[in-house]
Amino acid sequence: MMWVPRNDWLPWIAPHAKGAEAGWRATIIQAMSAQCAINTAVYQSRRARLAAQLENGVAIVPTAPEQIRNRDAHYPYRYDSYFYYLTGFREPEAVLVVVGGEKPQHILFCREKNLEREIWDGYRYGPDAARETFAVDAAFCITELDARLPELLADRSAVHVHLGADAVWDARVLGWINTVRNRARSGVAAPNDIRDVRTLIDDMRLRKDEHEVALMRRAGDISGAAHRLAMQTTRPGATEYEIEAVLQHEFRRRGAQAPAYTPIVAGGANACVLHYVENNAALQDGDLLLIDAGCELDGYAADITRTFPVNGRFSGPQRAVYELVLAAQAAAIATVKPGARWNEPHDAAVKVLAQGFIDLKLLAGTLDGVLEQETYKQFYMHRTGHWLGLDVHDAGEYKTDGVWRELQSGMVLTVEPGCYIRPVPGVPEGFADIGVRIEDDALVTAKGCEILSDSAPKSVTDIEALMRNHHA
Ligand code: GLY
Ligand code: MN
Ligand code: MN
């Protein structure tokens, strides 16, 4: 369903247009509505699926609060992923209430329309336009929440909320339940079961629908392009922050709203600090550069890591470690298909890495011994991936009933083995301070997987060719 501009938008566009001017005004509005088209059917169907799981219960899903950065300056606003997944609504100060039962109802609470505030802060829907645009059954001003919630909770068996995420919110929910309880003498029953709404939504979020897959493909393409440009821009003497700026510029230039997480741009030994985000060092000739960066597009994250030589040519030891990590990644990716268990990519990567560490004389002993004693963890200490979606470490359990989860088509996970060699005694000549990670985003398909991040080159040949062409 298309977004339809309402008359209360019109004052913003050529407010005094008359006669012929009204024509171009209509054209602008048409273009704006195409830009803002909200696929309401997608969100309606997700809400209906949630409602169907509630039985007689009610789900209450607030969006994220605005966060102050310092004094009166705010962090850029980011809506809550659960709330957004069910609404597509990006304004702060909003709550979705989904009422289950025979006649499910979807109710949005949002900021009031306020033309005075809009002069300062920009357009806000207000309940009337929000109801039409986001196709909810009813919409009310957020200030009506306390008055309306008790009546929505009356005679409901269970209430599903973000339990424990925010003490103030928890207290508010309990307040509404108590208000219903205080009316018990008039014959209303209060919910006596409080549940975590995330357990219901997590499983839905885990398998991406077509709308999500399309966005994640684009997020992968944009991020891949940014990695290519970073490779082309990197040279000895450049700084990590200069390359970070290239990535951020490319994300925004191609329409992504933000990085999905703080980019890691780590030259030389910095690559061995797993969460390095200072990004303030100069890049040295002869070092590698590890970049872990992905954009967020309409809420969806890409998460890509590439490692390449600052001067465009891998040294012998760098190449040996790089090829090993690439082989480990290939082995892991080969296991990604429906029916495989969550741990299979990790186990496959570890096996290749462990044998490689022995071959490179980083570790002594046999493969079985290294695997059993987990000595490989000296050089590979993290897991090989995580779910990816609206959150970079996305919602969803990794084990159910104590066993590793089975992969199903529509799930998206990262595959990101690495090798981080700190300068400890015994490390062979030329290997100290090498840090390599290669990370791609894999969508599980009917028979295997599709790599969403393959526009970022990763073979030695492709990387060296891209950098050579640029430096030539
Ligand atoms: N960029 C965060 C991660 O790779 O998990
Ligand atoms: Mn990751
Ligand atoms: Mn990453």
Side-chain angles (χ1 to χ4, degrees):
M1 192 188 294
M2 286 293 287
W3 176 86
V4 182
R6 288 172 51 88
N7 280 340
D8 52 6
W9 277 57
L10 297 186
W12 295 104
I13 306 160
H16 307 298
K18 287 199 185 74
E21 277 188 341
W24 66 258
R25 190 180 180 208
T27 309
I28 292 174
I29 290 170
Q30 211 175 3
M32 285 176 67
S33 48
Q35 277 255 316
C36 301
I38 287 163
N39 193 338
T40 49
V42 163
Y43 300 101
Q44 278 177 307
S45 106
R46 292 177 192 162
R47 289 196 296 269
R49 283 168 62 203
L50 174 61
Q53 299 179 77
L54 294 175
E55 296 173 357
N56 176 44
V58 175
I60 309 172
V61 184
T63 195
E66 292 174 286
Q67 298 282 359
I68 291 185
R69 184 173 182 274
N70 57 310
R71 205 168 168 95
D72 61 351
H74 286 76
Y75 282 106
Y77 181 67
R78 172 53 157 74
Y79 38 79
D80 174 79
S81 297
Y82 290 98
F83 174 85
Y84 183 72
Y85 179 76
L86 296 168
T87 60
F89 192 68
R90 299 186 189 189
E91 290 181 21
E93 298 185 84
V95 176
L96 174 72
V97 179
V98 177
V99 180
E102 280 175 14
K103 279 182 68 184
Q105 251 200 308
H106 309 275
I107 305 165
L108 182 68
F109 290 84
C110 65
R111 298 183 303 189
E112 65 178 356
K113 192 78 193 146
N114 183 334
L115 293 177
E116 172 66 23
R117 275 317 315 162
E118 289 177 54
I119 292 171
W120 295 86
D121 302 332
Y123 179 78
R124 49 169 84 175
Y125 283 91
D128 289 345
R131 189 186 60 244
E132 278 183 35
T133 309
F134 296 88
V136 284
D137 299 316
F140 300 107
C141 184
I142 188 78
T143 53
E144 293 185 39
L145 201 57
D146 287 328
R148 289 190 180 269
L149 249 295
E151 120 201 5
L152 290 169
L153 293 179
D155 290 325
R156 296 286 165 177
S157 51
V159 52
H160 302 252
V161 288
H162 278 210
L163 203 56
D166 172 358
V168 175
W169 180 256
D170 287 352
R172 219 165 152 194
V173 172
L174 293 178
W176 298 327
I177 294 173
N178 279 336
T179 306
V180 189
R181 224 172 252 143
N182 291 339
R183 292 180 194 156
R185 268 164 300 165
S186 62
V188 247
N192 56 14
D193 196 0
I194 305 179
R195 298 200 192 168
D196 193 332
V197 70
R198 288 171 289 197
T199 55
L200 301 180
I201 311 173
D202 280 355
D203 269 15
M204 294 168 58
R205 281 179 55 183
L206 203 45
R207 293 186 71 174
K208 274 65 182 173
D209 56 37
E210 271 176 42
H211 175 84
E212 297 181 288
V213 167
L215 284 171
M216 292 189 77
R217 279 199 187 107
R218 272 183 59 209
D221 286 348
I222 292 170
S223 307
H227 276 267
R228 281 200 307 274
L229 198 59
M231 288 176 190
Q232 290 170 316
T233 313
T234 294
R235 64 196 182 284
T239 55
E240 292 167 345
Y241 53 82
E242 189 183 336
I243 306 305
E244 179 185 349
V246 167
L247 294 157
Q248 303 241 25
H249 180 268
E250 198 62 9
F251 290 165
R252 285 299 277 142
R253 196 180 73 77
R254 291 175 179 264
Q257 288 81 8
Y261 52 92
T262 307
I264 296 170
V265 184
N270 294 337
C272 295
V273 179
L274 295 180
H275 293 159
Y276 176 81
V277 288
E278 280 83 1
N279 300 352
N280 59 4
L283 299 172
Q284 310 293 334
D285 198 352
D287 276 354
L288 291 175
L289 175 60
L290 180 155
I291 296 179
D292 184 344
C295 74
E296 180 177 293
L297 177 72
D298 290 349
Y300 286 85
D303 184 7
I304 305 181
T305 307
R306 290 292 182 264
T307 311
F308 54 92
V310 168
N311 64 14
R313 297 275 298 172
F314 285 88
S315 73
Q318 288 169 350
R319 187 180 175 133
V321 174
Y322 188 86
E323 296 281 21
L324 171 61
V325 175
L326 195 60
Q329 200 210 25
I333 289 174
T335 68
V336 177
K337 52 176 176 283
R341 295 275 168 193
W342 169 259
N343 58 316
E344 288 183 37
H346 179 70
D347 291 350
V350 163
K351 215 164 159 185
V352 173
L353 288 172
Q355 183 59 55
F357 296 159
I358 296 167
D359 297 343
L360 293 175
K361 307 217 175 331
L362 289 164
L363 290 178
T366 62
L367 179 59
D368 285 346
V370 166
L371 291 175
E372 201 177 301
Q373 288 155 35
E374 300 188 340
T375 46
Y376 63 82
K377 285 190 174 172
Q378 187 185 340
F379 303 110
Y380 182 48
M381 57 297 280
H382 60 75
R383 300 279 311 176
T384 304
H386 49 82
W387 304 126
L388 183 71
L390 282 167
D391 297 312
V392 63
H393 295 166
D394 206 33
E397 299 293 340
Y398 292 94
K399 275 188 176 176
T400 49
D401 300 326
V403 284
W404 292 112
R405 189 160 207 144
E406 206 170 87
L407 299 181
Q408 296 175 335
S409 62
M411 292 175 169
V412 180
L413 60 148
T414 65
V415 185
E416 49 177 307
C419 171
Y420 314 92
I421 309 175
R422 290 190 166 267
V424 291
V427 166
E429 176 82 25
F431 282 82
D433 290 329
I434 290 179
V436 172
R437 179 165 62 255
I438 306 171
E439 175 175 28
D440 281 292
D441 305 339
L443 164 71
V444 184
T445 57
K447 293 219 171 100
C449 70
E450 172 188 333
I451 301 300
L452 304 175
S453 44
D454 62 1
S455 58
K458 66 179 172 183
S459 73
V460 166
T461 316
D462 288 351
I463 289 174
E464 289 190 345
L466 181 68
M467 295 184 76
R468 187 167 50 242
N469 287 343
H470 184 72
H471 288 121

